[in-house]
Amino acid sequence: MVYKDGYEHFMLKEIHEQPKAVRDTLCAYVKDGVIDLSHTSLTDEFLRSLDRIYIVACGSAYHTGAVAKYTLEQLAGIPVEIDYASEFRYRNPILVKNSMVIIISQSGETADSLAALRLTKEHGVPVLSIVNVLGSSIARESDYTMYTYAGPEISVATTKAYSAQLIALYLFTIQMALSKQCMSTCEADALLMELDTLPTKIEKILEDKERIQWFASKYANAKDIFFIGRGIDYAICLEGSLKMKEISYIHSEAYAAGELKHGTISLVEDGTLVIGVLTQQELYEKTMSNMIEVKSRGAYLMGLTTYGNYNVEDNTDFSVYVPKTNPFFMTSLAIIPLQLMGYYVSVAKGLD
Ligand code: BG6
């Protein structure tokens, strides 16, 4: 699995392996249409007893936690705090009774995440880890482990492990909601059926990659790129922006769309690329109004939304569409064009 299989770089190969990573992670935990977490040792009784969840991670793994905060709070009704592991371990966190810490890590070896795990255990609070590497330190030292099935990830800029982590977190959310009786089995069945459609939808997005490549080469000389969105769209922006700066060396920031005007908007000038993520229908108009604000300062606008929202073209200079899915699962689709953008900008710049 460590060959490039004809792809120019491991990152591109791994971007294309995402349908499989999603499918394999789903298959590991969904048996005959029902979630089965028995391998993780998590029980419904334990999940029901929880009043609060802390999610702790670094980098892209933290960004999947940012998505899970929305899914867990909205679907399972449980309050969630998220922390960078490097902050958590030094802030003397107050961990309340009946809580659990979720540590998310591809490698299972990241020093800050491992230190956060050990600190949690000193507090006597149980730890669930979501980890890709079998038998890694974080997996071994956790009370419960939910493996992701992305296979070995060679590229330092993670793509398929990120996608697999999202699936593990969606499944955990659904099981938590069922345990707490916040969701009927009918609703859970519908969500599981929707999850099943994600691999094919990701394949469809990947088929359209030349369009992203064309746009990326046009913007390869950009100085600054801003990603703006609200709610889950903001969590998507965090990861899109990290992918961009990590491999293209272009300064990029993710901003909660409504926050941009409080100072940072002064950095937007003629030609600054601003990418608006608009997959959450109820926040669409709000984010669009922030995009219009930056356009009046000369920004060049790219809109990322779902098929059907064609009026995005009324205000943007370039638009990218992804298939529709349940709004809670949109990250799995919207992140694909953003990973491709980061990759193709970097290739257009001739970077290694
Ligand atoms: C960083 C990588 O160094 O580590 C990120 O560049 C990654 O892509 C982060 O998300 C955390 O790593 P891990 O293995 O704990 O998920």
Side-chain angles (χ1 to χ4, degrees):
M1 289 184 78
V2 295
Y3 293 102
K4 280 191 265 180
D5 257 353
Y7 289 99
E8 206 179 332
H9 302 100
F10 279 112
M11 184 175 175
L12 189 61
K13 175 180 180 247
E14 289 166 2
I15 286 174
H16 282 83
E17 285 172 347
Q18 290 181 106
K20 178 167 163 40
V22 166
R23 230 176 247 128
D24 289 352
T25 306
L26 279 172
C27 284
Y29 298 109
V30 184
K31 308 277 179 233
D32 301 323
V34 178
I35 298 176
D36 175 6
L37 297 185
S38 55
H39 289 313
T40 66
S41 311
L42 288 167
T43 61
D44 279 352
E45 194 189 356
F46 170 66
L47 293 181
R48 227 183 341 267
S49 74
L50 296 174
D51 293 329
R52 183 172 291 265
I53 286 181
Y54 304 88
I55 300 182
V56 182
C58 304
S60 300
Y62 171 87
H63 297 157
T64 64
V67 176
K69 178 175 167 66
Y70 291 102
T71 60
L72 279 163
E73 290 192 341
Q74 304 304 312
L75 292 173
I78 184 161
V80 177
E81 281 181 36
I82 56 170
D83 261 296
Y84 292 113
S86 55
E87 289 293 310
F88 180 87
R89 64 180 291 199
Y90 297 117
R91 77 166 170 94
N92 297 323
I94 297 170
L95 303 179
V96 297
K97 246 182 28 191
N98 303 327
S99 65
M100 178 172 79
V101 170
I102 303 181
I103 307 269
I104 310 169
S105 173
Q106 186 286 127
S107 61
E109 301 293 348
T110 303
D112 283 323
S113 301
L114 185 57
L117 182 155
R118 289 177 179 158
L119 177 74
T120 304
K121 299 208 76 175
E122 279 167 28
H123 279 70
V125 170
V127 175
L128 162 68
S129 61
I130 296 181
V131 171
N132 196 48
V133 177
L134 204 75
S136 53
S137 305
I138 291 177
R140 274 187 284 111
E141 295 188 30
S142 306
D143 301 279
Y144 309 97
T145 302
M146 205 171 166
Y147 281 109
T148 49
Y149 290 84
E153 193 171 57
I154 310 299
S155 170
V156 173
T158 179
T159 52
K160 61 176 181 169
Y162 169 90
S163 284
Q165 285 161 2
L166 286 174
I167 298 300
L169 287 161
Y170 299 152
L171 293 174
F172 176 78
T173 299
I174 296 169
Q175 194 56 39
M176 175 65 98
L178 286 169
S179 309
K180 287 195 167 287
Q181 293 178 336
C182 295
M183 187 185 282
S184 66
T185 48
C186 261
E187 286 167 315
D189 289 350
L191 289 175
L192 289 177
M193 277 165 67
E194 189 53 42
L195 284 177
D196 249 357
T197 69
L198 292 180
T200 313
K201 289 176 179 170
I202 295 173
E203 276 157 10
K204 188 169 160 30
I205 300 168
L206 289 170
E207 277 166 21
D208 209 16
K209 60 178 185 278
E210 272 77 20
R211 208 166 155 262
I212 306 280
Q213 183 172 16
W214 168 80
F215 182 70
S217 55
K218 217 171 113 174
Y219 260 84
N221 293 323
K223 192 161 65 74
D224 302 292
I225 304 180
F226 289 89
F227 291 73
I228 62 171
R230 292 170 182 249
I232 285 184
D233 286 337
Y234 172 53
I236 298 169
C237 287
L238 290 171
E239 178 60 8
S241 171
L242 179 62
K243 283 289 88 77
M244 180 59 74
K245 66 191 127 198
E246 189 173 5
I247 56 163
S248 76
Y249 310 148
I250 294 175
H251 164 251
S252 150
E253 284 189 49
Y255 248 81
E259 185 59 21
L260 193 71
K261 60 175 160 292
H262 298 294
T264 308
I265 198 165
S266 62
L267 293 174
V268 176
E269 50 186 28
D270 251 353
T272 304
L273 175 59
V274 177
I275 300 178
V277 179
L278 307 129
T279 72
Q280 304 293 304
Q281 210 57 45
E282 80 279 15
L283 297 168
Y284 183 95
E285 291 302 334
K286 284 272 166 199
T287 301
M288 185 48 85
S289 75
N290 299 125
M291 290 173 73
I292 292 168
E293 276 163 19
V294 292
K295 196 180 169 89
S296 71
R297 298 183 63 95
Y300 187 89
L301 290 188
M302 171 179 144
L304 171 58
T305 188
T306 52
Y307 284 108
N309 276 337
Y310 302 118
N311 57 348
V312 73
E313 295 185 20
D314 296 346
N315 296 305
T316 58
D317 302 290
F318 181 71
S319 36
V320 173
Y321 300 98
V322 292
K324 288 201 169 103
T325 183
N326 182 290
F328 289 106
F329 304 153
M330 267 326 305
T331 314
S332 294
L333 303 182
I335 199 58
I336 310 293
L338 300 183
Q339 294 169 341
L340 289 167
M341 275 276 288
Y343 171 76
Y344 282 126
V345 166
S346 144
V347 169
K349 286 180 77 173
L351 300 173
D352 181 350

